[in-house]
Amino acid sequence: MELDIILQKLSAVRAATPLVHNITNFVVMNNTANALLAIGASPVMAHGQEEIKEVLSISQALVVNIGTLNRSWANAMITAAAYANEINCPWLLDPVGAGISAFRNSVLAELLSLHPAVIRGNASEIIALHNASDSSTKGVDSTTTSDNAFEAGRALQQMYGSVVCISGAKDYIIGKRGWTEVDNGSPLMTRVTGLGCSASAIVGAFLGLRQDHYQEAVAGISLFSLAGELAAAKASGPGSLQLKLYDTLYALSEEDIKTHLNIQEHAF
């Protein structure tokens, strides 16, 4: 994808300030809201069944993150995803901790049956989502590489029609006709909890443009990884990285993107 398209989409998000409805986990709510505000979007966190449809009806995208799951929230997520499909609101599934419990896997099966526009997870989560019997997960951290999850990601794309994003040392965004490889980011990002969840929310902001899910996913993942890399270069550790990441997302410029973004496109 041409860098000019990514620049256009960033400009469009900043101009439109899309409202992103997040049903997300307790650990990352504040981080997620701040990341969305920094990129130029507007966050809302509404989890109660009593208001989900009303909130979703005025939102431009939905992000479903199963990190701190219980039955009440699971029901809310399923209701929201089904309603999003009904009103043609694009939604993203972040399968945090996929594979760690039968309950979590059963909820994910229900959500996958509703065909999210985008699935974004780390390598272990993507493999677990594809029911690979030889995959092991360690909480929400990835125990394998994004390269190893590529075939599982492609299979998920073919099964559900979703754009599949795999986060890792290299990020992969897999669509129907090809994939994009993003070689940005920093190892320091793994020392801050919830940055993968923030990446999902940023993709949600771009999905709010409602134009091309694949291009929007590429823009969201690549710009978040780039911001992490640029922020890490100025940070002295995980704490300052988190603060500098918000500033970097807010200030991302055409020069930053054209100078430092490292992406490659491939066709199937």
Side-chain angles (χ1 to χ4, degrees):
M1 193 167 79
E2 294 181 2
L3 294 184
D4 284 345
I5 295 176
I6 293 176
L7 284 165
Q8 289 167 10
K9 293 197 175 300
L10 176 58
S11 178
V13 165
R14 287 170 169 171
T17 61
L19 182 63
V20 183
H21 184 176
N22 299 267
I23 305 180
T24 190
N25 69 73
F26 289 120
V27 178
V28 303
M29 284 188 193
N30 183 267
N31 300 20
T32 296
N34 282 328
L36 283 167
L37 288 167
I39 201 70
S42 182
V44 60
M45 276 69 177
H47 299 75
Q49 292 257 26
E50 298 82 359
E51 64 175 353
I52 277 178
K53 290 185 177 181
E54 286 180 84
V55 175
L56 195 53
S57 68
I58 60 170
S59 301
Q60 281 70 59
L62 167 69
V63 174
V64 173
N65 177 312
I66 69 164
T68 50
L69 194 63
N70 60 40
R71 174 44 66 187
S72 175
W73 278 25
N75 290 343
M77 291 170 180
I78 293 163
T79 296
Y83 188 62
N85 288 344
E86 184 179 331
I87 64 173
N88 295 315
C89 177
W91 68 282
L92 176 147
L93 173 62
D94 188 332
V96 177
I100 66 172
S101 73
F103 170 59
R104 194 167 294 253
N105 289 346
S106 69
V107 172
L108 284 171
E110 290 186 76
L111 289 167
L112 283 171
S113 72
L114 294 168
H115 298 271
V118 176
I119 300 166
R120 193 222 62 86
N122 66 39
S124 293
E125 291 161 349
I126 295 299
I127 292 173
L129 211 56
H130 187 242
N131 295 321
S133 60
D134 62 348
S135 173
S136 62
T137 61
K138 187 185 75 173
V140 297
D141 299 322
S142 183
T143 58
T144 188
T145 68
S146 52
D147 290 346
N148 291 337
F150 184 88
E151 291 305 322
R154 186 177 183 191
L156 285 171
Q157 193 287 316
Q158 292 171 332
M159 291 168 65
Y160 298 104
S162 311
V163 177
V164 176
C165 305
I166 310 170
S167 295
K170 288 186 179 181
D171 300 321
Y172 293 100
I173 303 96
I174 305 171
K176 183 177 180 180
R177 297 180 180 86
W179 78 97
T180 298
E181 182 179 323
V182 181
D183 196 5
N184 288 107
S186 166
L188 189 59
M189 296 174 74
T190 65
R191 298 293 183 175
V192 180
T193 189
L195 288 193
C197 302
S198 294
S200 291
I202 295 299
V203 173
F206 284 89
L207 286 178
L209 298 176
R210 299 190 179 188
Q211 295 170 347
D212 182 304
H213 296 159
Y214 179 74
Q215 290 184 350
E216 289 153 2
V218 171
I221 293 294
S222 63
L223 292 179
F224 188 82
S225 292
L226 173 60
E229 180 180 307
L230 297 177
K234 304 173 186 176
S236 56
S240 55
L241 169 62
Q242 187 167 355
L243 293 176
K244 291 180 183 300
L245 178 59
Y246 300 141
D247 292 344
T248 306
L249 284 168
Y250 177 78
L252 268 179
S253 68
E254 179 176 346
E255 181 181 357
D256 291 331
I257 293 167
K258 289 189 172 181
T259 302
H260 299 290
L261 193 60
N262 186 2
I263 63 174
Q264 294 184 351
E265 284 193 279
H266 307 270
F268 288 125

